[in-house]
Amino acid sequence: MNPRERCGALWQRAETALDRVVGGGALNPLRHLGALAFLCFWLLAVTGIYLYAVLDTSATGAYVSIDGLSREQWFLGGWLRSLHRYAADAFVVTMLAHLLREWLFGRYSGVRRFSWLTGVPLLPLAFASAIGGFWLNWDKLGQFSAIATAEFLDWLPIFGSPLTRNFIGVESVGDRLFSLFIFVHLGVALFIVFAMWFHIQRLARAEAFPPLRLAIGVTASLIAVALVLPVHSQGPADLSVVPATLALDWWLLFIHPLVYATSAGAVWLLLAGTLIALFALPFLPQPAAAPVAVVDPANCNGCRRCFEDCPYTAITMVTHPNGRIGRQMAQVDADLCASCGICVGACPSSTPFRKGAALVTGIDMPQSPINDLRERVEAALARMPDDRPRLVVIGCDHGARVESLAGAGVAAFSLICTGMLPPSFVEYALRGGADGVLVTGCSEGGCTFRLGQRWTRERLLGLREPHLRRSVPAERVATVWADAGDEAAVEAALAVLGLRVSAAAGPSHEKLRYG
């Protein structure tokens, strides 16, 4: 593994460890960073609406109106103001962590290129809006930030006159300049709304809000911080005096001390180089792309299940070539297909119970046809001994490795994604002689292809089509969701399943019969 992949493996182990602490992926903030960024932005929007309603948008009245919130409306305005600040900090932190996580997991090229390229501009937009928000308060910190920003921008040879001339005296900061401050903060925030919407356009069922319990926990934590550590103004701005001591928000205003510690030119070079590198990353040479899903018109009945389940909207429905009125067929956009195989697991014609020498389904993966899985399951069951429970483990290439579990009495198979598994294969294995079937894949919220784990779980529970039939004995089927590196969890779940089917068969290990 290269350094990025090694760091990605460490990150994944940290997520797995945190899963155990918080009780699962649904409550693990590391698995929902993008959704948490959305949550923080909505908190900013809600609190910002109230703050703007009470803000005096004049240069002389802004400080008094904002400072009055903490003194006269501490029960509402004061903590809302503090919540607004801390939500802004959390918005930036979750965005940066989300960007880092996607890079570490290599999710920036191929079908993910669009999301990456539309996500990078959110970084400068977020910082621009955040910095402009400090100016609206027009206290000493806002004064410092506005002048520091003007000096930073003056390094660029694009302005006819230096921006710092707007701060040479008290009378130079008028309502007209303050209107510009408002535009920077609120206008850029509106651009962020559009950019966030654009960012998720090619993702089916994009997670724009975290799981409810996690959302409540994060919101409650930010409110608690706002109540315990309220934000206060740092005295009215006075252009005749240079502030000597300031309480700086290092998450949002780090750029100012960085400029003074180095130079404006060095920081511009750093920022430009970082953005260019981020934008160029998806265009660097990448491993050859895997073959995309292929539709077989003769076996596609236009049921739309693959269309509904595709995580990247790579499938559209078109008129079927057989010419029958109203008949449709799936069509795969090769530029959007992630080669995950989730569509195969959704196709009703992927059932192994179909007669024929070969299983030909409506949509399949050329590099791993579903017929190969049927043949491998049949061959493995034929070789397994009868003097012990016979178990089948089906996992995925991106979750915990299952190949090492194969041995006497255990057959293990790995798919591109667990979502590629048609639920009928579980029943097929049991009817073919297996005593139990264990299905595993990436942990909740950690699926490499976003929805594979979710769709598999819902199909096995009978909540999504195609579903596992209710006649299949529940005690003979088990699931465990574990990431790469957490093979011990799969091994433990397999041991439990083995004990369960052994108890059902009796001390003589007599073969269980199904069907």
Side-chain angles (χ1 to χ4, degrees):
M1 291 192 296
N2 59 41
R4 176 186 61 76
E5 292 171 335
R6 285 196 291 271
C7 291
L10 290 174
W11 182 291
Q12 193 168 65
R13 283 199 285 272
E15 288 185 350
T16 301
L18 189 56
D19 279 346
R20 299 190 182 99
V21 174
V22 300
L27 294 176
N28 188 339
L30 294 181
R31 298 193 185 277
H32 304 277
L33 292 169
L36 287 175
F38 270 86
L39 171 65
C40 293
F41 184 82
W42 303 135
L43 290 175
L44 282 168
V46 171
T47 55
I49 289 172
Y50 181 83
L51 293 176
Y52 184 72
V54 301
L55 173 67
D56 185 333
T57 57
S58 66
T60 55
Y63 174 82
V64 175
S65 63
I66 294 297
D67 185 60
L69 286 176
S70 300
R71 303 180 186 279
E72 301 171 9
Q73 296 186 33
W74 63 268
F75 53 89
L76 179 61
W79 74 265
L80 278 180
R81 175 191 179 188
S82 300
L83 178 59
H84 190 74
R85 167 75 72 83
Y86 291 124
D89 289 336
F91 179 54
V92 168
V93 170
T94 51
M95 267 205 314
L96 291 173
H98 177 59
L99 176 77
L100 176 62
R101 182 179 188 267
E102 298 305 291
W103 174 72
L104 289 176
F105 288 170
R107 300 172 184 173
Y108 50 79
S109 60
V111 297
R112 299 176 177 89
R113 179 184 296 174
F114 177 86
S115 297
W116 179 271
L117 294 178
T118 54
V120 170
L122 284 167
L123 295 176
L125 288 175
F127 279 105
S129 180
I131 292 173
F134 287 93
W135 307 344
L136 296 185
N137 189 22
W138 205 231
D139 62 352
K140 293 179 180 179
L141 181 59
Q143 170 189 330
F144 164 75
S145 178
I147 295 175
T149 302
E151 294 173 344
F152 183 53
L153 293 174
D154 280 341
W155 186 88
L156 299 174
I158 60 176
F159 299 103
S161 59
L163 295 177
T164 49
R165 292 183 60 183
N166 293 292
F167 305 100
I168 59 177
V170 176
E171 66 283 353
S172 60
V173 179
D175 294 347
R176 185 175 179 180
L177 181 60
F178 215 76
S179 297
L180 177 62
F181 291 172
I182 293 174
F183 171 77
V184 170
H185 185 54
L186 301 184
V188 174
L190 293 177
F191 279 111
I192 292 176
V193 173
F194 172 75
M196 292 171 67
W197 170 82
F198 203 56
H199 176 57
I200 61 176
Q201 282 309 290
R202 291 192 179 179
L203 301 178
R205 294 175 174 81
E207 191 183 32
F209 197 81
L212 183 59
R213 289 189 296 168
L214 178 60
I216 292 174
V218 170
T219 302
S221 298
L222 291 174
I223 292 175
V225 174
L227 292 173
V228 175
L229 300 173
V231 174
H232 296 290
S233 299
Q234 300 185 40
D238 185 354
L239 294 177
S240 65
V241 178
V242 177
T245 304
L246 293 171
L248 202 66
D249 187 318
W250 287 93
W251 284 112
L252 304 179
L253 299 178
F254 73 92
I255 194 170
H256 299 326
L258 183 61
V259 170
Y260 291 137
T262 56
S263 68
V267 174
W268 274 119
L269 183 62
L270 174 63
L271 295 180
T274 301
L275 287 176
I276 291 173
L278 291 175
F279 278 118
L281 196 58
F283 300 99
L284 296 178
Q286 303 293 335
V292 301
V294 176
V295 177
D296 182 355
N299 289 278
C300 178
N301 64 7
C303 69
R304 301 174 65 89
R305 289 179 185 171
C306 58
F307 168 79
E308 294 290 342
D309 285 6
C310 180
Y312 298 98
T313 63
I315 298 175
T316 54
M317 303 305 297
V318 298
T319 302
H320 202 287
N322 63 15
R324 293 177 57 182
I325 297 176
R327 186 72 178 272
Q328 290 185 312
M329 181 187 76
Q331 184 179 71
V332 177
D333 186 333
D335 292 332
L336 300 181
C337 181
S339 303
C340 61
I342 291 176
C343 53
V344 180
C347 185
S349 60
S350 295
T351 173
F353 291 106
R354 293 179 64 191
K355 298 184 183 299
L359 173 58
V360 181
T361 185
I363 188 168
D364 211 345
M365 303 305 299
Q367 69 274 39
S368 183
I370 199 65
N371 182 66
D372 287 0
L373 178 62
R374 184 172 75 169
E375 292 180 348
R376 291 166 59 201
V377 169
E378 292 173 349
L381 290 174
R383 295 192 302 266
M384 295 172 73
D386 288 329
D387 60 345
R388 67 185 66 189
R390 306 205 300 182
L391 305 177
V392 172
V393 182
I394 302 177
C396 85
D397 296 342
H398 301 276
R401 302 292 182 259
V402 300
E403 294 87 346
S404 60
L405 298 175
V410 179
F413 309 95
S414 184
L415 305 176
I416 300 171
C417 173
T418 305
M420 185 179 174
L421 176 68
S424 53
F425 264 82
V426 174
E427 183 177 2
Y428 188 75
L430 293 173
R431 286 184 178 273
D435 296 309
V437 176
L438 175 66
V439 178
T440 182
C442 300
S443 58
E444 182 178 0
C447 179
T448 299
F449 300 107
R450 299 184 54 245
L451 300 175
Q453 182 272 341
R454 176 181 171 185
W455 290 164
T456 302
R457 180 178 61 83
E458 292 184 6
R459 291 168 186 167
L460 295 178
L461 291 175
L463 304 176
R464 190 173 193 84
E465 295 294 342
H467 66 267
L468 183 65
R469 295 199 306 176
R470 291 184 176 87
S471 59
V472 176
E475 67 275 7
R476 297 177 62 181
V477 181
T479 59
V480 59
W481 310 114
D483 293 319
D486 195 20
E487 285 72 19
V490 181
E491 189 172 357
L494 183 64
V496 171
L497 178 62
L499 292 174
R500 198 160 66 204
V501 298
S502 293
S508 64
H509 297 295
E510 179 184 353
K511 274 291 295 151
L512 290 166
R513 298 299 176 188
Y514 174 70

